Amino acid sequence: MSRKAQLAEPPTRALDSVTGISRKGLPSGTVGVLGALVIGLSTCAPAYTLTSAVGPAASEVGYQTPAIFLMGFIPMLLVAIGYRALNSAMPDSGTSFTWATRAFGPWIGWMAGWGLIAATVLVLSNLAGVAVEFLFQSISILVGDPSIADIAQNKLINIAVCLGFMALATFISYRGMTSTKIFQYLTVIFQMAVMVWFVVAMFIGAADPANTEGKMPELSWFNPFEVSSFSAFAAGIAVSIFVYWGWDTVLTMGEETKPSKGRMSTESKAAMILVGILVVMYVGTAAATVAFAGVGDGPTGLGNSAIAENVFAALAHPVMGPAALLLSLAILVSAMASINSTAISPARTLLAMSHYGALPKSIKKIHPKYKSPYVALMLSSLVASGFYAIMRFISNDVLWDTITALGIMVCFYYGITALASPWYFRKTAFREGVGSVISKIVLPAIGGILLLIVFVQTTIDSMDPSAGSGNNIGGVGLVGIIGVTVLGIGVVLMFLQSRVSKPFFTGQVLRRVDASEATGTVEVFDDGL
């Protein structure tokens, strides 16, 4: 039988005074600013992200790829500001799910949580796919046999190795945040060092007269108004949103970070530093890649659809020569580490949704020794593995198609989350002054509206059979089918769950409130939560 309890609003980040364990069972005080920053960098995985995204972005906007990466940063920054405000008021591992539920109610909140989980499942499958390709490429470079790289094209071998990577990464995350953090330190330092080397080498190579495709950067490359159409712009933005996506994983660790001495929480500090590092890295790398490779359809040209889903594999040897092995290994460990760290986000969102009764309570189980949400981890890993296996048989360009579909999902749930900030703070921000109005109302609202516009435009455009890689089913673009199907599954699951989770869906667990009610009480059903 349910037992009702009155808790201070909001019921987040509450710790047991003896054990130091959060109400959801996560260990408190295990991650500092640097640790959270490293995990955030690992999740975003610059080496993996850029090799997957530069090609699709360039196929849409050509030489304006640096501009589109810069423009993608703007809504992401606006969303980050809203995230920071929401996290300060309601630090919770459920992030988008919890905040959207508080602001807009359980139905929209559930779909925001689903959007985050779906996006992460898509990227986990993509990460594992990239890891497979670079594993065989690294071996081929090491032994001097190019034919070994082609083994990755064998679907059965590809899927088998992919599942192995997923199992290994899940096991590391299963061991808890401490072992995860140590693993991330090593991989982030290596991949960032190699990427800086690679970017510098591309700029130098662009100026080499022997490189006929090379071209020194021009200011027009950073001008978004040079993009040919709004559809191309929206598609490019969706891809660029993908490259920044993942920084919010830092905020899902709010119940596990060390207390901050300043006004900004530990995880919020790490998130803001992370966003700044990413924009410099991504825009710089985009400019260097376009400068070196050009946008033609030659063997290394960014207009060559054969290399679009894995650009750096084609550029590694021309740019770095004998050191190409280091780039290949950097992308391999980048993808591996990101599988591990990216699993943090959906696992903790699933944990929060289960904790508050929005999903079956069996999902919220915490490992007694490692304090990790192991059931949620296993579930997200299994679904991602199954999705990849199916997509590998449906699409010859599975990596390209999932990246584009991922951008749609990210725009969807980021847009909802960003708009949660102005709605939640609508009554208090104006009493706090102009600064609060701008940071909690105006900027997040602009970011949220921009992302939802991109979501709608990209979803419509993705139905075209030529969208993404050009794969289609019955004349409908595969990217559009993926996006609509994933959202549709979320709607169906939500209605099914609403039949057995009435306390949550009637607002009895996470009551719809705003910041002015933050000192009130909320009725929480304790079913072993």
Side-chain angles (χ1 to χ4, degrees):
M1 181 178 292
S2 297
R3 178 172 58 85
K4 297 181 182 179
Q6 296 295 316
L7 298 175
E9 181 81 62
T12 59
R13 209 173 195 164
L15 302 178
D16 184 283
S17 59
V18 177
T19 65
I21 300 297
S22 75
R23 199 180 302 279
K24 301 185 189 72
L26 298 170
S28 175
T30 58
V31 182
V33 172
L34 181 59
L37 176 61
V38 167
I39 289 176
L41 279 170
S42 181
T43 303
C44 293
Y48 147 76
T49 298
L50 289 164
T51 192
S52 299
V54 169
S59 71
E60 298 288 349
V61 299
Y63 279 112
Q64 274 63 55
T65 300
I68 213 70
F69 278 15
L70 187 59
M71 290 301 294
F73 165 71
I74 294 175
M76 194 58 63
L77 176 63
L78 301 180
V79 169
I81 292 171
Y83 263 65
R84 183 182 66 179
L86 290 166
N87 187 67
S88 296
M90 301 178 283
D92 191 283
S93 64
T95 58
S96 295
F97 157 74
T98 305
W99 302 334
T101 300
R102 287 290 195 205
F104 302 125
W107 299 92
I108 294 178
W110 202 98
M111 284 305 298
W114 173 256
L116 188 157
I117 293 167
T120 314
V121 166
L122 288 172
V123 82
L124 280 171
S125 66
N126 193 280
L127 282 161
V130 168
V132 171
E133 294 202 3
F134 277 96
L135 170 65
F136 288 107
Q137 177 166 315
S138 298
I139 295 172
S140 73
I141 295 174
L142 192 61
V143 302
D145 184 358
S147 65
I148 292 179
D150 297 332
I151 295 177
Q153 304 310 312
N154 182 298
K155 290 183 178 181
L156 293 178
I157 294 177
N158 187 295
I159 291 171
V161 177
C162 172
L163 297 183
F165 277 133
M166 289 294 297
L168 177 60
T170 303
F171 174 73
I172 295 173
S173 295
Y174 163 82
R175 299 271 302 187
M177 191 65 74
T178 302
S179 62
T180 294
K181 185 172 65 174
I182 295 171
F183 177 69
Q184 306 306 334
Y185 271 105
L186 298 175
T187 56
V188 164
I189 291 172
F190 177 63
Q191 72 166 296
M192 293 299 285
V194 173
M195 280 302 298
V196 170
W197 180 0
F198 182 57
V199 169
V200 172
M202 281 196 292
F203 277 124
I204 294 173
D208 186 350
N211 180 7
T212 57
E213 299 294 331
K215 188 175 182 181
M216 294 307 294
E218 300 176 4
L219 287 177
S220 63
W221 297 4
F222 302 90
N223 181 6
F225 296 104
E226 294 279 343
V227 177
S228 59
S229 69
F230 180 72
S231 290
F233 179 83
I237 286 291
V239 174
S240 70
I241 290 297
F242 155 71
V243 303
Y244 291 105
W245 176 74
W247 64 270
D248 54 313
T249 295
V250 174
L251 297 181
T252 70
M253 299 185 292
E255 297 175 59
E256 299 160 87
T257 51
K258 297 176 182 178
S260 174
K261 296 180 181 179
R263 294 180 59 185
M264 192 183 299
S265 66
T266 296
E267 63 275 12
S268 292
K269 289 178 184 177
M272 298 308 288
I273 295 170
L274 175 62
V275 170
I277 292 174
L278 292 179
V279 69
V280 174
M281 170 67 76
Y282 290 158
V283 175
T285 304
T289 308
V290 171
F292 180 87
V295 295
D297 57 2
T300 60
L302 298 182
N304 181 353
S305 60
I307 69 167
E309 65 178 18
N310 197 347
V311 169
F312 293 169
L315 295 181
H317 192 271
V319 173
M320 302 184 73
L325 176 62
L326 293 178
L327 179 63
S328 185
L329 289 174
I331 298 173
L332 172 61
V333 300
S334 173
M336 270 297 299
S338 191
I339 296 171
N340 168 233
S341 54
T342 301
I344 292 171
S345 183
R348 279 153 179 75
T349 300
L350 286 167
L351 169 66
M353 293 179 75
S354 176
H355 174 81
Y356 293 121
L359 286 175
K361 61 182 181 180
S362 59
I363 296 175
K364 70 183 180 181
K365 291 181 180 178
I366 299 293
H367 194 280
K369 179 179 179 181
Y370 301 119
K371 302 303 178 185
S372 63
Y374 69 100
V375 175
L377 275 169
M378 299 296 180
L379 180 60
S380 58
S381 179
L382 287 172
V383 173
S385 298
F387 175 82
Y388 180 82
I390 294 171
M391 283 298 297
R392 176 54 70 176
F393 280 101
I394 293 177
S395 172
N396 292 323
D397 301 288
V398 59
L399 301 181
W400 187 346
D401 290 328
T402 54
I403 286 296
T404 311
L406 171 64
I408 295 175
M409 292 297 106
V410 173
C411 289
F412 171 73
Y413 88 84
Y414 268 3
I416 292 175
T417 309
L419 293 179
S421 177
W423 191 250
Y424 181 77
F425 294 107
R426 68 189 185 279
K427 295 181 181 179
T428 59
F430 291 94
R431 298 199 298 262
E432 296 169 355
V434 176
S436 288
V437 172
I438 293 174
S439 64
K440 296 179 179 179
I441 305 291
V442 178
L443 297 182
I446 294 172
I449 291 170
L450 286 175
L451 288 180
L452 290 180
I453 289 174
V454 171
F455 161 70
V456 172
Q457 182 67 50
T458 308
T459 301
I460 293 171
D461 292 340
S462 67
M463 296 297 176
D464 191 295
S466 63
S469 66
N471 286 294
N472 66 89
I473 298 177
V476 181
L478 182 58
V479 173
I481 292 174
I482 295 172
V484 172
T485 300
V486 169
L487 283 176
I489 290 173
V491 173
V492 171
L493 290 177
M494 177 176 65
F495 278 104
L496 290 175
Q497 189 63 34
S498 69
R499 300 176 66 87
V500 296
S501 301
K502 294 188 184 300
F504 172 78
F505 283 96
T506 54
Q508 298 176 64
V509 177
L510 284 177
R511 186 163 56 89
R512 182 178 175 181
V513 296
D514 59 69
S516 67
E517 302 174 82
T519 56
T521 60
V522 65
E523 201 169 63
V524 175
F525 280 67
D526 184 4
D527 285 325
L529 296 180

